[in-house]
Amino acid sequence: MFPIVETKLLATAVKQFKIYAPEIAKKRRPGQFVVLRINEEGERIPLTIADADPEAGTITIIFQEVGKSTEHLGKLKTGEAIADLIGPLGVPTHIEKFGTVVCIGGGIGIAPVYPIAKAMREAGNTVISIIGARTKNLLILEEEMAKVSHALKVSTDDGSYGYHGFVSDVLQNMLDEGMHMDLVVAIGPVPMMRVVCNVTRNHKIKTVVSLNPIMVDATGMCGACRVTVGGRTRFVCVDGPEFDGHEVNFAELVKRQRAYLDQEKLALEIYHRQGGTCSGR
Amino acid sequence: MTDETPKKKKAQIPRQKMPEQDPKVRAKNFDEVPFGYTPELALLEASRCLQCKKPSCIEGCPVSIDIPGFISLILKEDFLGAARKIKEMNSLPAVCGRVCPQEDQCEKMCVLDKKGEPVAIGRLERFAADFERRQGEFIMPPMERSTGKKVAVVGSGPAGLTLAGDLIKKGHQVTIFEALHKAGGVLVYGIPEFRLPKAIVQAEVDYLQKLGVEIRTNMVIGKIYTVDELLSNGYDAVFLGTGAGLPTFMNIPGENLNGVYSANEYLTRSNLMKAYLFPKYDTPIARGKKVAVLGGGNVAMDAARTALRLGAEDVYIVYRRSKKELPARIEEVHHAEDEGIKFHFLTLPVEILGNEDGWVCGMRCQRMELGEPDESGRRRPIPIPGSEFDLEVDMVIVAIGTGANPLIPSTTPDLKTNKWGYIIAHPETGATSKKGVYAGGDIVTGSATVILAMGAGRKAAQAIHKYLIS
């Protein structure tokens, strides 16, 4: 059992939990994720490790309440425990001194971008960050991202805060102004990563994305998370989660993410009808 | 009927049939298909055993159970004694009585097999094991004094569980590291509830914990700790029983469409995550109406029979050779046939077809004919040109085999593997190229059986014990 030591509301339906998991906290490197299972009936879901404190023995996860599992997770309080937590999983981000690294986070994708931006900065890179959300009260980690970036630009789709537009528009503006970039890291909803990759492809800038397919075991034994990269099938859980964005078949990924829409909708309906409890508990 | 019954009378008793759920009923539930022998059936079957002076059945058993010994205890109605006799050599009799291919092992060697009616050794093993389990009585077996040595067991499948049980009794401290959230390995994620109830696996795991074995789930060795870190963190020896858990795909177009599953994923969702109970359990699973299962082994049968129970109207086993070459247990093929699963033999899928939403809507296949035998000794399938046809399906399960999961070898530099990625280990001791590290089961042999993994666990336990006390 893994106790929750702190909970925080970051934005509408976006929460941050600190969980006591000392072995994972010690071993974890930026870019890696955990899989958690709330209780006996729960499903296994992957979440990026947004931060870790090896001395305190805690890891930080940030999640958006989009379905039954994340809504149920969001109801847990400090002191309550998660049944199973597995990690650290995935290949850590490849960190080296590239030069100028542009870190782009869209929506909940800002959470996995944060540890990468931090590590890139610590490795001596110039970190320029762009973070965006649909609207002001969905924007997370602005302060934290500002701390680890040499420059930070913020955008909202509806213009309620910062630049009125998408993160990809901000990126395009930077490129139009002649900014030099050695590497772009882009994490967010698939349409966002796709558009960013289209922008950088024209400029031949290496772009790393972090993919979020459905996963079950997350240790390479089932293939649920398979995605086509450069024409080859890769398993995101063990070969990723980061890949060269210009090689990823995003269209296929989007379809695969929708494989259980009907069941997800049903599970959420039942959950709400039961008053937000699991099987009546 | 007793041991004193004359041979002639014994020979007239037919092999007792196993009472089973009716195929039409069981195709809609996940309950165990065989009910198990009643004590009356068990006594009758046990009386058929000739108690040969030179029992050839024992030679057929990978762990050398004293078969005539436990059968004669059943005859004396000492069912608990029979279970204990089996447990001297086999720590998971309730599992093996259900999943061992006895027809290729002990029963094949039985002298009565010549008449096509060997003693139903497997059913008797199951009977004794179930009787003991239902009694619920826990008796601490004799344990040696603590040696102060620690052993790390990676993987809680049959190899690791067997080895852990053997070593804990020898006085060593044993910790099992299991990557999943439940222990049992393939027993819990691979074999369906209707063939091996999970409560039975849990009972075996609980028994080991009562003996003092520490089981740490959610621990992915290779990620949280490497094998080298285990050795430098106080473990004197490491056993690798990580299995052959890498799914094999056909690499044909359309394999990444929605509705295409590796058998590992499909069975893990259903067996481990209990997706057959969705929405009570949160993990979903696609419920195809027309399902093609590619492959011909036990895993293919398990996947097909699961799909049927999840509401499929038509389930097809698609196999590139003929019925004769099917690697699955004949018993499981019969169970599948009786339940209404259809077989497309001499058929090879060449493409999976999808609709605009990215879902499976069909499968293009080619007819095959059998030519000369290949390296496996089985006749090689040869495509018949111009024989392509489309099978209407909305789900495909790929059950063509599994390979070695590379996680441990890739994080243990001096661990030698063969060209297929399996760990090279001594066949009698399980010793690998790395000092203090042993391996056994599917990660060494490629996917095989529960009993062979257990035998490897036993041999490695003996070798590790020698290594630790020297």
Side-chain angles (χ1 to χ4, degrees), chain A residues 23 41 221-222 226 256 260, chain B residues 216 225 261-262 264 282:
Chain A
E23 287 168 300
E41 294 86 8
M221 61 84 102
C222 83
R226 61 193 189 279
R256 289 184 61 77
Y260 298 99
Chain B
R216 301 199 62 195
Y225 297 120
Y261 283 106
S262 71
N264 267 2
D282 292 343

Side-chain angles (χ1 to χ4, degrees), chain A residues 98-118:
Chain A
F98 295 98
T100 300
V101 179
V102 176
C103 294
I104 312 177
I108 195 67
I110 300 171
V113 158
Y114 170 69
I116 297 173
K118 189 171 169 194

Side-chain angles (χ1 to χ4, degrees), chain A residues 2 23-24 27 32 37 39-44 68-69 83-92 214-217 219-224 226-228 233 235 252 255-260 263-264 266-267 270 278-279, chain B residues 179-182 189 216-220 222-226 229 245-247 249 251 255-262 264-265 268-269 272-274 278-287 355-359 405 407:
Chain A
F2 297 83
E23 287 168 300
I24 301 178
K27 205 59 190 297
Q32 291 187 299
R37 190 180 78 126
N39 55 25
E40 171 60 27
E41 294 86 8
E43 51 164 353
R44 292 167 63 100
K68 192 248 167 108
S69 298
D84 301 291
L85 193 68
I86 308 101
L89 300 173
V91 177
I214 293 169
M215 291 185 186
V216 183
D217 73 292
T219 60
M221 61 84 102
C222 83
R226 61 193 189 279
V227 79
T228 304
T233 296
F235 287 2
E252 180 191 74
K255 288 189 181 139
R256 289 184 61 77
Q257 285 175 326
R258 298 167 69 85
Y260 298 99
Q263 291 97 325
E264 288 164 3
L266 177 67
I270 296 175
C278 258
S279 321
Chain B
L180 293 173
H181 57 270
K182 279 206 157 68
Y189 77 75
R216 301 199 62 195
T217 54
N218 302 318
M219 299 293 281
V220 184
K223 282 292 190 209
I224 187 77
Y225 297 120
T226 59
E229 282 166 343
L246 190 72
F249 286 95
N251 291 322
E255 233 170 353
N256 289 348
L257 287 164
N258 286 340
V260 180
Y261 283 106
S262 71
N264 267 2
E265 182 187 351
T268 296
R269 282 180 183 271
L272 176 69
M273 308 306 295
K274 301 212 199 307
F278 179 89
K280 177 164 191 280
Y281 278 71
D282 292 343
T283 303
I285 193 168
R287 288 176 179 243
N355 60 24
E356 327 80 54
D357 293 322
W359 273 92
N405 193 306
L407 185 56

Side-chain angles (χ1 to χ4, degrees), chain B residues 10-292:
Chain B
K10 281 189 188 215
Q12 281 164 1
I13 309 167
R15 183 171 145 111
Q16 298 302 298
K17 283 199 170 58
M18 171 65 101
E20 282 182 347
Q21 277 196 71
D22 173 82
K24 282 202 176 61
V25 172
R26 72 188 195 224
K28 293 194 188 314
N29 68 45
F30 278 80
D31 302 328
E32 253 200 294
V33 170
F35 291 124
Y37 275 165
T38 56
E40 295 73 36
L41 287 174
L43 285 169
L44 207 49
E45 184 61 29
S47 73
R48 297 181 64 232
C49 174
L50 301 179
Q51 295 291 326
C52 303
K53 281 207 170 52
K54 286 210 182 108
S56 39
C57 49
I58 302 182
E59 283 160 49
C61 175
V63 294
S64 309
I65 295 172
D66 178 1
I67 297 168
F70 91 77
I71 292 181
S72 85
L73 285 166
I74 290 182
L75 260 183
K76 293 191 178 85
E77 293 190 57
D78 180 5
F79 304 143
L80 281 182
R84 275 163 212 152
K85 177 120 293 261
I86 300 168
K87 277 192 156 161
E88 281 169 17
M89 302 309 276
N90 176 345
S91 46
L92 308 173
V95 174
C96 292
R98 286 167 165 80
V99 307
C100 254
Q102 296 97 5
E103 64 276 8
D104 291 332
Q105 296 172 167
C106 49
E107 290 177 14
K108 188 172 169 178
M109 304 292 278
C110 176
V111 294
L112 296 180
D113 183 58
K114 292 190 194 72
K115 307 208 174 123
E117 297 245 310
V119 174
I121 300 169
R123 291 170 190 166
L124 289 173
E125 175 181 34
R126 182 202 154 131
F127 170 79
D130 285 353
F131 186 90
E132 192 210 23
R133 189 171 40 86
R134 286 193 203 110
Q135 291 292 295
E137 192 194 341
F138 169 72
I139 291 181
M140 194 75 171
M143 310 273 285
E144 310 269 336
R145 226 173 324 145
S146 170
T147 62
K149 299 288 184 185
K150 280 170 68 171
V151 181
V153 181
V154 184
S156 66
L161 292 177
T162 299
L163 178 128
D166 287 357
L167 287 176
I168 194 86
K169 287 189 226 166
K170 287 264 185 291
H172 307 294
Q173 219 177 304
V174 181
T175 302
I176 299 180
F177 293 91
E178 167 54 49
L180 293 173
H181 57 270
K182 279 206 157 68
V186 80
L187 304 176
V188 86
Y189 77 75
I191 304 180
E193 182 72 18
F194 55 81
R195 263 220 298 148
L196 179 62
K198 303 309 147 210
I200 291 178
V201 181
Q202 194 56 46
E204 303 297 353
V205 172
D206 291 344
Y207 175 73
L208 283 178
Q209 286 180 302
K210 288 200 185 94
L211 296 184
V213 173
E214 183 191 11
I215 300 180
R216 301 199 62 195
T217 54
N218 302 318
M219 299 293 281
V220 184
I221 300 303
K223 282 292 190 209
I224 187 77
Y225 297 120
T226 59
V227 171
D228 284 313
E229 282 166 343
L230 289 175
L231 289 168
S232 54
N233 278 353
Y235 290 97
D236 303 291
V238 177
F239 175 75
L240 303 173
T242 50
L246 190 72
T248 308
F249 286 95
M250 302 254 333
N251 291 322
I252 55 176
E255 233 170 353
N256 289 348
L257 287 164
N258 286 340
V260 180
Y261 283 106
S262 71
N264 267 2
E265 182 187 351
Y266 189 70
L267 292 171
T268 296
R269 282 180 183 271
S270 183
N271 304 331
L272 176 69
M273 308 306 295
K274 301 212 199 307
Y276 66 90
L277 292 174
F278 179 89
K280 177 164 191 280
Y281 278 71
D282 292 343
T283 303
I285 193 168
R287 288 176 179 243
K289 289 280 166 261
K290 291 184 188 299
V291 181

